[in-house]
Amino acid sequence: MKALVYGGPGKKTWQDVPDPEIVHATDAIVRVETTTICGTDLHILKGDVPAVQVGRILGHEGVGTITAVGSSVSSLAVGDRVIISCIKSCGHCANCKLGLYSHCLGDEGQSGIGWVFGHLIDGTQAELVRVPYAENSLHRIPPGVSDEEAVMLSDILPTGFEIGVQYGRVKPGDVVAVIGAGPVGLAAIATAGLYGAGTIIAIDTDENRLEQARLFGATDAVVSGSHDWKQQVLALTDGAGVDVAIEAVGIPETFTMAVDVVRPGGNVANVGVHGKPVELHLEDLWIQNINISMGLVNTNSTPMLLKLVARGKIPAGALTTHRFGFDQVLEAYDTFSRAAETKALKVVISRSRMA
């Protein structure tokens, strides 16, 4: 088969590799129909994730069709169309029983680490992928849900919802600021209304992304490059500050922005993946009674979100801006890596678009 293989920092190739095989009785093999690229993949290619070894097949998002199942897999069958969750779940360890799949203690990849695809085991940017713990790590796709909608449920929709909205404790009527209107920020915007947010403020330097944010449910938009961006946000809260500030970028400046606009007693939900230390001024913050949360997605909300996508309640497919065939994967990476220039949100790579 063909797959995108990591060759070290700055190096990747679309090349022939051996087909995956069933290793454990709980495995399934999935013929990948559609996959996509995440910002984490770009971090890997920069050398920011040293656990990823040379020769690893990249990717942790995908949808496809089951071609083989292990002997203990009974609830899934060959021919089933499925979402591949970005997080493994053995389903029976102490953490999985709590819904904390991001820290699954199953020994696939590494015990205690849920993110294994394209990280500790071969990933989904390939024609075939082996999925461990298949019954808990795959989700059957109902009729009427497209591949482009379903692939957003591998990672970004549950990430924006769980780590942004749920961890941020959004309540009915809340004023929510989402800092960073990239794909995950848009996912948080699109799902904040599920918990009744009254005002959703999108904050970004890119005016194109702010326009997109309105389509996903933002009631207001603020250009963060403006000299008075903070005053604009506070004006929407009668000067009190937002109830929930969701950081969806992953740099020190945007985390500071979130802390600066949250009201006393409010919540800061950090979703962005930070590659540098961030200063936390507890000497100022302790008296503000704010809560700060962060984490890796568990994907325990995926079944619920899938139902909402199937009923047209969440515009998951609208996150796709660019489409490529598998044989154009290198071009897809180039487009995604220049998102500010290409206006890319999610680039979708599909078998059906191959020449």
Side-chain angles (χ1 to χ4, degrees), residues 21-29 66-78 130-135:
E21 299 179 349
I22 297 290
V23 176
H24 303 294
T26 53
D27 289 350
I29 304 297
I66 295 176
T67 61
V69 295
S71 59
S72 70
V73 176
S74 60
S75 63
L76 297 167
V78 171
R130 180 181 70 90
V131 179
Y133 314 123
E135 291 189 318

Side-chain angles (χ1 to χ4, degrees), residues 38-218:
C38 178
T40 304
D41 297 320
L42 299 184
H43 279 292
I44 291 170
L45 287 167
K46 291 177 182 176
D48 294 343
V49 189
V52 179
Q53 299 178 352
V54 170
R56 176 70 64 226
I57 296 172
L58 297 178
H60 55 267
E61 300 164 275
V63 300
T65 304
I66 295 176
T67 61
V69 295
S71 59
S72 70
V73 176
S74 60
S75 63
L76 297 167
V78 171
D80 283 349
R81 185 166 159 258
V82 291
I83 296 166
I84 304 164
S85 177
C86 67
I87 301 294
K88 73 176 184 184
S89 169
C90 72
H92 59 74
C93 73
N95 288 340
C96 283
K97 287 180 179 179
L98 293 173
L100 195 64
Y101 305 155
S102 58
H103 295 279
C104 170
L105 296 170
D107 58 9
E108 186 73 44
Q110 183 176 329
S111 178
I113 297 179
W115 169 42
V116 293
F117 287 117
H119 178 209
L120 302 174
I121 67 172
D122 286 335
T124 59
Q125 290 169 8
E127 294 182 309
L128 296 164
V129 62
R130 180 181 70 90
V131 179
Y133 314 123
E135 291 189 318
N136 298 299
S137 304
L138 295 173
H139 302 274
R140 192 180 288 109
I141 304 171
V145 175
S146 71
D147 280 5
E148 289 190 4
E149 292 172 320
V151 77
M152 303 306 165
L153 286 154
S154 285
D155 183 355
I156 65 167
L157 271 175
T159 294
F161 176 62
E162 293 175 20
I163 310 304
V165 177
Q166 288 189 321
Y167 278 29
R169 306 179 186 180
V170 174
K171 304 184 303 300
D174 273 357
V175 178
V176 178
V178 179
I179 301 169
V184 172
L186 292 176
I189 289 168
T191 56
L194 299 178
Y195 282 8
T199 300
I200 304 172
I201 308 165
I203 305 172
D204 201 290
T205 58
D206 188 329
E207 294 194 30
N208 171 64
R209 288 194 165 185
L210 291 176
E211 290 177 14
Q212 295 291 329
R214 291 187 182 276
L215 300 178
F216 283 88

Side-chain angles (χ1 to χ4, degrees), residues 193-258:
L194 299 178
Y195 282 8
T199 300
I200 304 172
I201 308 165
I203 305 172
D204 201 290
T205 58
D206 188 329
E207 294 194 30
N208 171 64
R209 288 194 165 185
L210 291 176
E211 290 177 14
Q212 295 291 329
R214 291 187 182 276
L215 300 178
F216 283 88
T219 58
D220 299 272
V222 172
V223 178
S224 54
S226 303
H227 71 279
D228 63 341
W229 73 269
K230 181 178 177 180
Q231 287 70 31
Q232 292 182 52
V233 173
L234 294 179
L236 296 168
T237 70
D238 295 324
V242 302
D243 299 293
V244 182
I246 298 174
E247 194 283 335
V249 181
I251 60 175
E253 293 81 1
T254 47
F255 181 82
T256 298
M257 290 170 66

